[in-house]
Amino acid sequence: QVQLVESGGGLVQPGGSLRLSCAASGFTMDSYTIGWFRQAPGKEREGVSYISPTGSTTDYADSVKGRFTISRDNIKNTVYLQMDSLKPEDTAVYYCATGWKAWGLQENRGYNYWGQGTQVTVSS
């Protein structure tokens, strides 16, 4: 059974950092693109970043470029999202997702499996 579990969320002050983790079980992650998405209260879910199976290709939403870094450790079956210089507008529930045909920053592009999400709150 495919399962994704996010962790690492929490409360952080503006300008601070967090590292989110997405741990996979029930499948070998190294053949799958993994995406990070987020949903703020009252807003639609949006793509934040994704990473190709080997890690050779990554992309980011314009709102997080230069501040967030996605990476993966296929031996540990885990993908990370390092978030630096956090802003209040980064406050959201963050989800990781995957699928056999997953690609890009749009959730309707093959992202069939989703984690339960982890809350990130940026506030002073």
Side-chain angles (χ1 to χ4, degrees):
Q1 180 179 357
V2 174
Q3 190 172 12
L4 299 171
V5 179
E6 303 94 337
S7 62
L11 173 64
V12 63
Q13 292 186 342
S17 298
L18 284 173
R19 188 176 81 157
L20 305 183
S21 297
C22 172
S25 62
F27 71 106
T28 303
M29 191 183 259
D30 61 5
S31 297
Y32 292 80
T33 290
I34 305 294
W36 281 100
F37 298 80
R38 67 186 182 186
Q39 187 166 22
K43 295 187 177 182
E44 293 186 353
R45 191 157 55 189
E46 63 174 351
V48 174
S49 181
Y50 78 91
I51 187 166
S52 63
T54 63
S56 60
T57 300
T58 62
D59 199 10
Y60 301 88
D62 288 343
S63 58
V64 307
K65 277 182 181 176
R67 301 188 297 120
F68 290 11
T69 304
I70 193 170
S71 63
R72 65 192 300 157
D73 185 336
N74 285 339
I75 295 176
K76 294 183 178 179
N77 234 24
T78 302
V79 169
Y80 305 98
L81 185 68
Q82 177 67 40
M83 306 188 297
D84 298 317
S85 302
L86 283 161
K87 305 176 181 180
E89 50 263 44
D90 294 318
T91 295
V93 178
Y94 284 71
Y95 302 88
C96 62
T98 191
W100 180 242
K101 296 184 178 181
W103 191 257
L105 293 174
Q106 296 175 313
E107 64 176 274
N108 62 358
R109 295 188 69 176
Y111 290 97
N112 305 120
Y113 300 100
W114 293 79
Q116 83 290 347
T118 185
Q119 176 71 47
V120 172
T121 303
V122 184
S123 175
S124 55

